[in-house]
Amino acid sequence: MLALIAVASFALQSPVADTSPFRALALPTANRMRSSSGAPGPYYWQQEASYTIRATLDTGPSVITGSETIHYVNHSPDALGFVWIQIEQNIFAKNSVTYQLNQPPLHFAGGAVFDFTGKGFIGGITIDRFRIGPRELARTEYGTMMRVELPTPLPPGGMVDFQVAWHFPVPPYGGGRMGRVGNRLYEIGQWYPRLVVYDDVNGWNPLPYIGAGEFYLEYGNYDVTLTLPAGYLVAATGTVQNPLVVWSPAIRRRLLQARTASERVQVVTKDEAVANGARAAVGTRVWHFTATNVRDFAWAASPDFRWDASTWNGVQINTFYRPTAAPWEEANRMARFTIQHFSETWGMYPWPHATTVEGLIEGMEYPMLTFVPSIEKREDQFWVLMHEFGHQWFPMTVGSDERRYPWMDEGFNTFIDYGAAEGYFKGTAYGDTVRRELLADFQISAVPGQEQPLITKPVEQRDLAWGAYQKPALMLTVLRDQVLGRETFERAMREYVRRWRFKHPQPSDFFRTIANVSGRDLDWFWREWVYTTARLDQAIDSVRAVGSDSTYIYLANRGQMVLPVTLELRYGDGTTETRFLPIEMWNLGDRFTARFATPKPVVGVVLDPQAVLPDVNRANNSWNR
Ligand SMILES: [Zn+2]
């Protein structure tokens, strides 16, 4: 009762904001679409966009000419008077943000360069028609986005077929994500007009394609017919529907062998690739592919491809590469290991094949298909090849909004990549230490005043390699190893993948899923790591022996970030003991007295003895008598 009176009198004084690190994180209110548990709610909906595409590549001028039917189903509760269409080839057109700003290329660690201006190439897409039935629709282009007016609003539950025709010149270098080498190798993405996502959070999502931000795409089914010169081999998202037409008897025989092969079968050998490339093939060949439940479709073509194939658990693993790419003879094994590792750890790979193509693109992912360069250093080759396949989980399976939240695809992927690299190179110095790169990167990149929170949009990030890749990977590593423990963390992460498979999660869906499945309030953790640039400084103020069998360790949290504490006690007889203090130690403030029963005299104490935390000042982490 006295306490209650005291509280009442405090209430008459000036109001005090809750500044506790454990105050609730302000998330969007849960609703019937997105439940408070982090799962899709009973009324969760998303649109369907399915594509039937016919396209021809003319390798003379390197122009792709296509027509498509977009089958669009409105599962939203809203009538739609217009639709937004992505026309990303206009990143090379004069009306794009990218062209007008003409910014220097993005540089990544390891020397990868993404030049989204296509080295100054001026191209862009021409929309030859955009119709419903015979009726041409009014449209307005805004660089890489196009608004198309519907003659009558598309009602909830309604569907519509758009008839679209277009053509564009393939950039000679590429925008970082697609392009060609002369007319010998084509790596084709962002090549057909496609629906912008309409969702329950933002309505339409027509953020322009500038370069740094990737894609947010609807799921659907694809039926794609490609006409190319007869001598070209094609690798694509989806399954070949006319194998008798496009593959020789020898290729078909070897693919049959590959179905039970755990090591590569050479479907096209080096000698055959060289011979194919030298032969002048006459005429064209039509390739037919279908794909189910994917958010995009990409393809690559060359007369020079070598092709290795193997199989893991029913998934055909394909590697296509030019005869000049010697490191790629191991690529199929790397790819197979990667698909197996990610499947076993995070959820089964959902499609019939996983294919990677060697070429000029520095690393880009599409459903079932990735573009990866040839790299001399084996560890780096594995990393890029494996990383692009990691995207089959984030964002190809878990379809998050890459244009806003790169940490949810690049970051989650980079985190799982460290596990794959530790596995493939297990027992080597590289495999056993590779994850320490994250703390080394922290030292270089987490610069106070310059660092930006993870939640920053990719086109506003000054250091995308840190904010989109490395820092989120460090965040999940700390969450797994220091906060939740591996088993709890992995169970929660697998559940997030399962719940949001082929759907569109928001950050709040991720936070709520991890909290619900792990049973832990993690608002403090996400605030520090995602919404702020809080820094950690755990410190030992002093240590005192109490009686003959206890030690008091006076600890302080001197930074803005809170984390649990791991302490190593060193005894006079040379033995050591590790103690763990859970996060609740900071409930009452930034000082905590750890009271340990210590039957032997303590002569030293070390905080974070394995040096796994991004503690900005290690000088105050130890005490010696
Ligand atoms: Zn990536």
mmCIF file with all atom_site columns, all heavy atoms in Angstrom, residues 365 387-388 391 410 469, ligand 1:
data_model
loop_
_atom_site.group_PDB
_atom_site.id
_atom_site.type_symbol
_atom_site.label_atom_id
_atom_site.label_alt_id
_atom_site.label_comp_id
_atom_site.label_asym_id
_atom_site.label_entity_id
_atom_site.label_seq_id
_atom_site.pdbx_PDB_ins_code
_atom_site.Cartn_x
_atom_site.Cartn_y
_atom_site.Cartn_z
_atom_site.occupancy
_atom_site.B_iso_or_equiv
_atom_site.pdbx_formal_charge
_atom_site.auth_seq_id
_atom_site.auth_comp_id
_atom_site.auth_asym_id
_atom_site.auth_atom_id
_atom_site.pdbx_PDB_model_num
ATOM   1  N  N   . GLU A 1 365 ? 21.022 -14.259 -58.890 1.00 0.00 ? 365 GLU A N   1
ATOM   2  C  CA  . GLU A 1 365 ? 20.165 -15.391 -58.625 1.00 0.00 ? 365 GLU A CA  1
ATOM   3  C  C   . GLU A 1 365 ? 18.799 -15.229 -59.278 1.00 0.00 ? 365 GLU A C   1
ATOM   4  O  O   . GLU A 1 365 ? 18.255 -14.126 -59.312 1.00 0.00 ? 365 GLU A O   1
ATOM   5  C  CB  . GLU A 1 365 ? 19.978 -15.534 -57.106 1.00 0.00 ? 365 GLU A CB  1
ATOM   6  C  CG  . GLU A 1 365 ? 19.245 -14.355 -56.446 1.00 0.00 ? 365 GLU A CG  1
ATOM   7  C  CD  . GLU A 1 365 ? 20.110 -13.134 -56.139 1.00 0.00 ? 365 GLU A CD  1
ATOM   8  O  OE1 . GLU A 1 365 ? 21.257 -13.107 -56.610 1.00 0.00 ? 365 GLU A OE1 1
ATOM   9  O  OE2 . GLU A 1 365 ? 19.645 -12.218 -55.444 1.00 0.00 ? 365 GLU A OE2 1
ATOM   10 N  N   . HIS A 1 387 ? 26.671 -18.933 -52.576 1.00 0.00 ? 387 HIS A N   1
ATOM   11 C  CA  . HIS A 1 387 ? 25.840 -17.793 -52.172 1.00 0.00 ? 387 HIS A CA  1
ATOM   12 C  C   . HIS A 1 387 ? 24.640 -17.629 -53.113 1.00 0.00 ? 387 HIS A C   1
ATOM   13 O  O   . HIS A 1 387 ? 23.503 -17.456 -52.662 1.00 0.00 ? 387 HIS A O   1
ATOM   14 C  CB  . HIS A 1 387 ? 26.674 -16.512 -52.150 1.00 0.00 ? 387 HIS A CB  1
ATOM   15 C  CG  . HIS A 1 387 ? 25.867 -15.261 -51.951 1.00 0.00 ? 387 HIS A CG  1
ATOM   16 N  ND1 . HIS A 1 387 ? 25.551 -14.775 -50.708 1.00 0.00 ? 387 HIS A ND1 1
ATOM   17 C  CD2 . HIS A 1 387 ? 25.280 -14.418 -52.842 1.00 0.00 ? 387 HIS A CD2 1
ATOM   18 C  CE1 . HIS A 1 387 ? 24.817 -13.678 -50.836 1.00 0.00 ? 387 HIS A CE1 1
ATOM   19 N  NE2 . HIS A 1 387 ? 24.629 -13.444 -52.131 1.00 0.00 ? 387 HIS A NE2 1
ATOM   20 N  N   . GLU A 1 388 ? 24.890 -17.703 -54.406 1.00 0.00 ? 388 GLU A N   1
ATOM   21 C  CA  . GLU A 1 388 ? 23.772 -17.495 -55.344 1.00 0.00 ? 388 GLU A CA  1
ATOM   22 C  C   . GLU A 1 388 ? 22.738 -18.614 -55.177 1.00 0.00 ? 388 GLU A C   1
ATOM   23 O  O   . GLU A 1 388 ? 21.536 -18.373 -55.289 1.00 0.00 ? 388 GLU A O   1
ATOM   24 C  CB  . GLU A 1 388 ? 24.279 -17.387 -56.786 1.00 0.00 ? 388 GLU A CB  1
ATOM   25 C  CG  . GLU A 1 388 ? 25.323 -16.282 -57.034 1.00 0.00 ? 388 GLU A CG  1
ATOM   26 C  CD  . GLU A 1 388 ? 24.952 -14.914 -56.474 1.00 0.00 ? 388 GLU A CD  1
ATOM   27 O  OE1 . GLU A 1 388 ? 23.763 -14.638 -56.289 1.00 0.00 ? 388 GLU A OE1 1
ATOM   28 O  OE2 . GLU A 1 388 ? 25.878 -14.123 -56.190 1.00 0.00 ? 388 GLU A OE2 1
ATOM   29 N  N   . HIS A 1 391 ? 20.284 -18.122 -52.370 1.00 0.00 ? 391 HIS A N   1
ATOM   30 C  CA  . HIS A 1 391 ? 19.115 -17.294 -52.689 1.00 0.00 ? 391 HIS A CA  1
ATOM   31 C  C   . HIS A 1 391 ? 17.911 -18.137 -53.102 1.00 0.00 ? 391 HIS A C   1
ATOM   32 O  O   . HIS A 1 391 ? 16.793 -17.607 -53.165 1.00 0.00 ? 391 HIS A O   1
ATOM   33 C  CB  . HIS A 1 391 ? 19.461 -16.303 -53.797 1.00 0.00 ? 391 HIS A CB  1
ATOM   34 C  CG  . HIS A 1 391 ? 20.236 -15.116 -53.321 1.00 0.00 ? 391 HIS A CG  1
ATOM   35 N  ND1 . HIS A 1 391 ? 19.748 -14.274 -52.348 1.00 0.00 ? 391 HIS A ND1 1
ATOM   36 C  CD2 . HIS A 1 391 ? 21.442 -14.614 -53.693 1.00 0.00 ? 391 HIS A CD2 1
ATOM   37 C  CE1 . HIS A 1 391 ? 20.640 -13.300 -52.150 1.00 0.00 ? 391 HIS A CE1 1
ATOM   38 N  NE2 . HIS A 1 391 ? 21.670 -13.492 -52.938 1.00 0.00 ? 391 HIS A NE2 1
ATOM   39 N  N   . GLU A 1 410 ? 19.687 -10.941 -48.794 1.00 0.00 ? 410 GLU A N   1
ATOM   40 C  CA  . GLU A 1 410 ? 21.161 -11.013 -48.814 1.00 0.00 ? 410 GLU A CA  1
ATOM   41 C  C   . GLU A 1 410 ? 21.709 -11.371 -47.437 1.00 0.00 ? 410 GLU A C   1
ATOM   42 O  O   . GLU A 1 410 ? 22.643 -12.153 -47.304 1.00 0.00 ? 410 GLU A O   1
ATOM   43 C  CB  . GLU A 1 410 ? 21.755 -9.682  -49.283 1.00 0.00 ? 410 GLU A CB  1
ATOM   44 C  CG  . GLU A 1 410 ? 21.425 -9.288  -50.710 1.00 0.00 ? 410 GLU A CG  1
ATOM   45 C  CD  . GLU A 1 410 ? 21.936 -10.264 -51.756 1.00 0.00 ? 410 GLU A CD  1
ATOM   46 O  OE1 . GLU A 1 410 ? 22.651 -11.222 -51.397 1.00 0.00 ? 410 GLU A OE1 1
ATOM   47 O  OE2 . GLU A 1 410 ? 21.587 -10.079 -52.927 1.00 0.00 ? 410 GLU A OE2 1
ATOM   48 N  N   . TYR A 1 469 ? 24.637 -7.486  -46.130 1.00 0.00 ? 469 TYR A N   1
ATOM   49 C  CA  . TYR A 1 469 ? 25.199 -8.842  -46.148 1.00 0.00 ? 469 TYR A CA  1
ATOM   50 C  C   . TYR A 1 469 ? 25.817 -9.209  -44.795 1.00 0.00 ? 469 TYR A C   1
ATOM   51 O  O   . TYR A 1 469 ? 25.370 -10.108 -44.104 1.00 0.00 ? 469 TYR A O   1
ATOM   52 C  CB  . TYR A 1 469 ? 26.278 -8.961  -47.235 1.00 0.00 ? 469 TYR A CB  1
ATOM   53 C  CG  . TYR A 1 469 ? 25.788 -8.816  -48.658 1.00 0.00 ? 469 TYR A CG  1
ATOM   54 C  CD1 . TYR A 1 469 ? 25.407 -7.568  -49.156 1.00 0.00 ? 469 TYR A CD1 1
ATOM   55 C  CD2 . TYR A 1 469 ? 25.724 -9.897  -49.522 1.00 0.00 ? 469 TYR A CD2 1
ATOM   56 C  CE1 . TYR A 1 469 ? 24.964 -7.415  -50.459 1.00 0.00 ? 469 TYR A CE1 1
ATOM   57 C  CE2 . TYR A 1 469 ? 25.277 -9.765  -50.834 1.00 0.00 ? 469 TYR A CE2 1
ATOM   58 C  CZ  . TYR A 1 469 ? 24.909 -8.524  -51.294 1.00 0.00 ? 469 TYR A CZ  1
ATOM   59 O  OH  . TYR A 1 469 ? 24.467 -8.383  -52.584 1.00 0.00 ? 469 TYR A OH  1
HETATM 60 ZN ZN  . ZN  B 2 .   ? 23.168 -12.229 -53.034 1.00 0.00 ? 1   ZN  B ZN  1
#
